[in-house]
Amino acid sequence: MQRRTATMTAAFAGLVLAATAAAAPSYAADGAAPAKTGSTAAHANGPKDDGAKKLCRRVPRLEKRIDKRIKRMEGTVGTRGSITYLEQRITDAKKDNHTAIAKLLGDRLATREGLLTTLKGKQPDLKSVATWCAANNGGAKDKAAPAA
């Protein structure tokens, strides 16, 4: 009885697979692209504007977020997520002869230091965007001053 059930299950799975393969179009075979969905069709002609209004709304939250991350990364040894906290973990791993852990944490440290540099580089850019938004009515199209 069990063999018959297994055979029937395999046969049914084969039929389902064959039916699915026959019903699904093959785009690779004929070179035609898949049909555009509603979300991709809306963007087919490119963006309608530069998104300044949305970005201006997000600037205060972005500034807070970047400041918070920089503060955490520059924290003391007791601050989880800080660079000094990670350095201490590396020191502890080396002391205990956990070389694989120390290497992994060292790679993580390099990434975190790079991220800190990147975030500090973005702060002045974000401040200049905030200044522009304040001078141009939050990026509203009809109220924005023309570019010089």
Side-chain angles (χ1 to χ4, degrees), residues 1-12:
M1 181 70 173
Q2 189 172 2
R3 186 174 184 174
R4 183 175 177 205
T5 306
T7 305
M8 292 298 287
T9 304
F12 182 69

Side-chain angles (χ1 to χ4, degrees), residues 16-90:
V16 170
L17 183 62
T20 322
S26 172
Y27 299 114
D30 61 1
K36 292 182 180 178
T37 61
S39 62
T40 57
H43 298 290
N45 297 328
K48 303 218 183 307
D49 63 1
D50 63 353
K53 189 174 180 180
K54 286 183 181 180
L55 181 60
C56 287
R57 268 189 271 143
R58 293 185 63 211
V59 166
R61 286 180 289 171
L62 290 171
E63 286 178 326
K64 274 190 213 176
R65 196 168 158 190
I66 288 174
D67 291 341
K68 184 178 175 182
R69 287 188 177 176
I70 289 173
K71 183 180 176 186
R72 182 177 61 234
M73 284 188 210
E74 290 178 337
T76 62
V77 174
T79 305
R80 287 184 63 138
S82 71
I83 290 175
T84 54
Y85 180 85
L86 196 51
E87 288 170 343
Q88 183 62 44
R89 286 184 64 194
I90 292 169

Side-chain angles (χ1 to χ4, degrees), residues 82-110:
S82 71
I83 290 175
T84 54
Y85 180 85
L86 196 51
E87 288 170 343
Q88 183 62 44
R89 286 184 64 194
I90 292 169
T91 303
D92 292 344
K94 286 179 181 176
K95 185 173 61 177
D96 292 338
N97 290 326
H98 297 159
T99 55
I101 303 297
K103 183 184 180 321
L104 175 77
L105 294 174
D107 293 343
R108 198 183 281 181
L109 177 65

